[in-house]
Amino acid sequence: MPCERPSTDSASVRPNRPEALSGPASRRVFLAATSAVGGVLAAGPAAAEAAPLNMEWAASAPEPSTCVTLTVNGERHTLTMDNRTSLLDLLREHLGLTGAKKGCDAGACGACTVLVDGRRVVSCLMLAVRLEGAEITTVEGLERGGRLHPLQQAFIDQDAFQCGFCTPGQIMSALGCVQEAHTGCAEEIREWMSGNLCRCGCYPNIVRAVEQAARGW
Amino acid sequence: MHSFVYTRASGLRQALDAARRGGRYLAGGTTLVDLMRETVERPAVLVDIAGLPLRDVTLTADGTLRIGALARMAEAAAHPGIRAAHPVVCEALELSASPQLRTVATIGGNLMQRTRCPYFRDVTAACNKREPGSGCPAREGVHRTHAILGTSRQCVATHPSDLAVALAALDADVRVLGPGGERAVPLTAFLLPPGDTPHREHALGPGELITAVDIPPHPRPLRSGYLKVRDRRSLEFALTSAAVALHIRGGVIREAKLAAGGVGTVPWRLPAVERRLIGERPSNRLWSQAAARAADGARPLPGNRFKTELLKRTVERQLRVVGGGR
């Protein structure tokens, strides 16, 4: 597959699942579209800019961008990206997947949690150039044929959010928590979900949602 | 974040070669990428070593437990061999960071993580560790979480690792590979107290790579455990911590190995506490008497004076947990 820049990759500005959206004027379409365009505008000059490298070895190297092929929610993407791009920015700004949220951008809040090769990671601290051949799962990739994933349903059933900003990260982290079998009791769930902060304080209901999903696993 | 060239090392030789030419090793990246974003770290070239074959946990012929430098923290914490022999290591790992970070962060990288001192992480502030000679605002400023042991006029920042505290208690060595071959450095000599050169934090030479951590064989049974005291229950660095390992036979403590975290500029062994314990019979009275020596030599600042007493109580409690209450 030829390696394309995000700015020329029309697939990257397309909302991932338009059929799941309520209409063309929905907030999600608007945000996804503008963030993707914003990403292109921001990524274009940055990717083209030659870095001031003072090392002889580095000076002979190509400009600091890399071509990477990775799979996101079952869909293969080949992109050339500025080496500084985090997985979180790749998802949000280049692929239009705005489920993973940028909370702290420092690995301390968990709002950007996704699965990489089946394991939960904070995508803000993961450089996307490292992910050659990796399989990424985001919250957008959980539903099957219009049916919510049991964890998504559990978060609704247990009223496990207020503002919802941390929820995609909570759900992806909960998926890791359940798959790792750290759901023996509420206390264990609290500890193994402690990488995800909720400023609304919905922790009791989040724990109940994870318990509910774990029971049906 | 400043621009950088990214390369992936396909083998050890290639990694060493790239580092010799000025490349910076990238393992899990959970510290390095964070600090690059803050422009505290500005490497021109990253050498990705995460795929190198340094991930295994093995038992050598002489009974040394060897943990590969690129074993992820989560893998090491869940390893049945480590858990059976040295629960203190697994407890320290599982009380560190968050599950998402432990999935990615490595054993070698954990030792190489940089201090959480807010002045170090703020490029607009002075910091002798980041910019030698620029000064240390922590002494006069916010230093509640800073060190009370091993400090210097230049720096009072703690080493943030929990794992390193457990490994220091267990007399672990850091195995290091460089252009001249492989060598073993005791962990307590690998991490350097600040002195007049707080920017020098470890004993690695240019281009050298950590390949493994070795825990030597200890007399059995060795009971061990880790206690971490912090401002919140999880996802927080230690105010104080204690790694305790005891070999008790015939009702007498034959060996005692203790180290403290959150209080030192490096993981802090507690020889005075160990000497008080060896040859004695476990009792609550003994734990209390021994722990009273835990803060020997402490030089607290006004804002972290509480750590002196907190450290003694942390050590006493963990002695009771590991050694039993009587």
Side-chain angles (χ1 to χ4, degrees):
Chain A
M1 180 184 280
C3 202
E4 299 171 27
R5 292 200 173 279
S7 53
T8 59
D9 180 5
S10 61
S12 73
V13 297
R14 167 172 67 79
N16 196 42
R17 294 181 186 279
E19 74 279 10
L21 302 168
S22 56
S26 82
R27 176 175 171 274
R28 188 162 296 181
V29 168
F30 177 76
L31 288 179
T34 51
S35 72
V37 170
V40 168
L41 290 175
E49 183 182 63
L53 297 168
N54 52 16
M55 295 173 52
E56 191 189 337
W57 178 54
S60 66
E63 64 177 346
S65 59
T66 304
C67 180
V68 175
T69 297
L70 72 178
T71 303
V72 181
N73 299 332
E75 199 174 326
R76 227 164 104 98
H77 299 269
T78 299
L79 301 152
T80 295
M81 63 193 86
D82 186 304
N83 288 347
R84 293 169 291 187
T85 311
S86 66
L87 172 58
L88 177 61
D89 284 343
L90 175 77
L91 294 170
R92 291 182 59 85
E93 302 195 14
H94 297 176
L95 301 181
L97 295 172
T98 54
K101 296 294 186 283
K102 187 177 282 191
C104 68
D105 213 20
C109 77
C112 66
T113 302
V114 301
L115 301 190
V116 174
D117 295 328
R119 288 184 293 274
R120 50 178 163 160
V121 308
V122 283
S123 58
C124 69
L125 293 184
M126 177 60 67
L127 293 173
V129 293
R130 314 186 74 182
L131 295 171
E132 178 64 37
E135 295 208 3
I136 318 297
T137 306
T138 73
V139 74
E140 290 93 338
L142 291 188
E143 57 98 5
R144 289 281 175 273
R147 282 179 57 117
L148 292 178
H149 186 279
L151 262 165
Q152 293 173 307
Q153 189 60 51
F155 269 67
I156 294 169
D157 293 347
Q158 299 297 333
D159 195 19
F161 47 83
Q162 284 185 42
C163 82
F165 186 84
C166 72
T167 308
Q170 297 279 1
I171 289 175
M172 296 313 292
S173 193
L175 188 54
C177 183
V178 174
Q179 286 173 352
E180 296 156 19
H182 289 300
T183 54
C185 63
E187 194 59 25
E188 186 180 9
I189 292 170
R190 285 184 81 91
E191 172 59 28
W192 287 86
M193 288 294 292
S194 68
N196 293 78
L197 304 188
C198 171
R199 287 181 62 173
C200 302
C202 295
Y203 297 110
N205 294 10
I206 291 169
V207 170
R208 278 196 278 275
V210 178
E211 283 177 323
Q212 174 184 319
R215 274 197 301 274
W217 217 255
Chain B
M1 196 184 291
H2 290 226
S3 288
F4 57 88
V5 171
Y6 172 83
T7 61
R8 195 177 292 120
S10 58
L12 282 170
R13 184 178 294 275
Q14 196 204 27
L16 291 177
D17 192 44
R20 192 170 48 77
R21 292 151 76 184
R24 181 77 181 270
Y25 294 127
L26 175 68
T30 53
T31 288
L32 186 53
V33 173
D34 186 25
L35 290 176
M36 285 167 64
R37 190 166 287 144
E38 301 295 331
T39 69
V40 172
E41 298 272 18
R42 296 182 289 268
V45 178
L46 287 184
V47 183
D48 192 336
I49 57 169
L52 295 184
L54 297 172
R55 204 163 170 171
D56 291 344
V57 178
T58 52
L59 203 57
T60 67
D62 72 344
T64 296
L65 185 64
R66 178 163 295 167
I67 308 174
L70 293 171
R72 308 316 194 241
M73 288 173 72
E75 293 169 356
H79 191 278
I82 304 177
R83 191 168 287 277
H86 301 300
V88 64
V89 171
C90 299
E91 290 173 17
L93 285 167
E94 289 194 338
L95 291 169
S96 302
S98 68
Q100 294 99 310
L101 292 169
R102 299 196 297 266
T103 298
V104 174
T106 65
I107 296 300
N110 183 279
L111 302 181
M112 296 296 289
Q113 69 181 301
R114 318 257 345 238
T115 184
R116 308 303 294 194
C117 173
Y119 301 105
F120 171 76
R121 295 173 60 85
D122 175 3
V123 292
T124 66
C127 172
N128 287 326
K129 189 182 276 298
R130 182 165 33 73
E131 282 178 50
S134 64
C136 175
R139 280 192 165 275
E140 306 295 324
V142 177
H143 53 245
R144 181 175 168 272
T145 60
H146 286 64
I148 59 173
L149 290 157
T151 58
S152 72
R153 286 182 52 205
Q154 303 277 344
C155 184
V156 292
T158 56
H159 191 276
S161 168
D162 295 295
L163 171 68
V165 177
L167 293 176
L170 294 172
D171 303 314
D173 287 334
V174 180
R175 291 187 71 81
V176 170
L177 181 66
E182 197 164 25
R183 64 194 177 106
V185 187
L187 176 70
T188 47
F190 181 84
L191 297 172
L192 306 176
D196 290 328
T197 53
H199 58 288
R200 292 193 60 228
E201 296 177 339
H202 52 75
L204 283 182
E208 283 191 322
L209 175 68
I210 302 175
T211 57
V213 168
D214 278 358
I215 303 175
H218 289 281
R220 296 189 181 191
L222 189 76
R223 301 185 208 167
S224 72
Y226 190 74
L227 176 63
K228 184 174 182 179
V229 177
R230 41 190 166 171
D231 282 331
R232 57 182 179 189
R233 184 93 168 262
S234 190
L235 192 59
E236 183 56 280
F237 293 90
L239 289 171
T240 61
S241 72
V244 172
L246 299 174
H247 171 53
I248 303 171
R249 192 164 39 85
V252 175
I253 300 168
R254 311 284 173 169
E255 288 204 30
K257 296 177 177 301
L258 284 87
V263 290
T265 52
V266 290
W268 204 257
R269 274 296 285 255
L270 302 172
V273 179
E274 295 172 4
R275 280 195 299 272
R276 183 69 187 81
L277 293 168
I278 291 170
E280 302 288 337
R281 293 183 174 274
S283 72
N284 285 339
R285 187 181 166 81
L286 177 68
W287 306 144
S288 173
Q289 288 172 345
R293 307 294 308 274
D296 281 10
R299 287 184 304 176
L301 296 165
N304 63 13
R305 220 170 279 286
F306 72 97
K307 281 195 176 187
T308 306
E309 182 61 25
L310 187 59
L311 172 59
K312 294 177 191 172
R313 295 187 190 194
T314 304
V315 169
E316 180 178 348
R317 167 142 5 141
Q318 193 58 9
L319 278 170
R320 201 182 310 140
V321 168
V322 173
R326 286 171 189 81

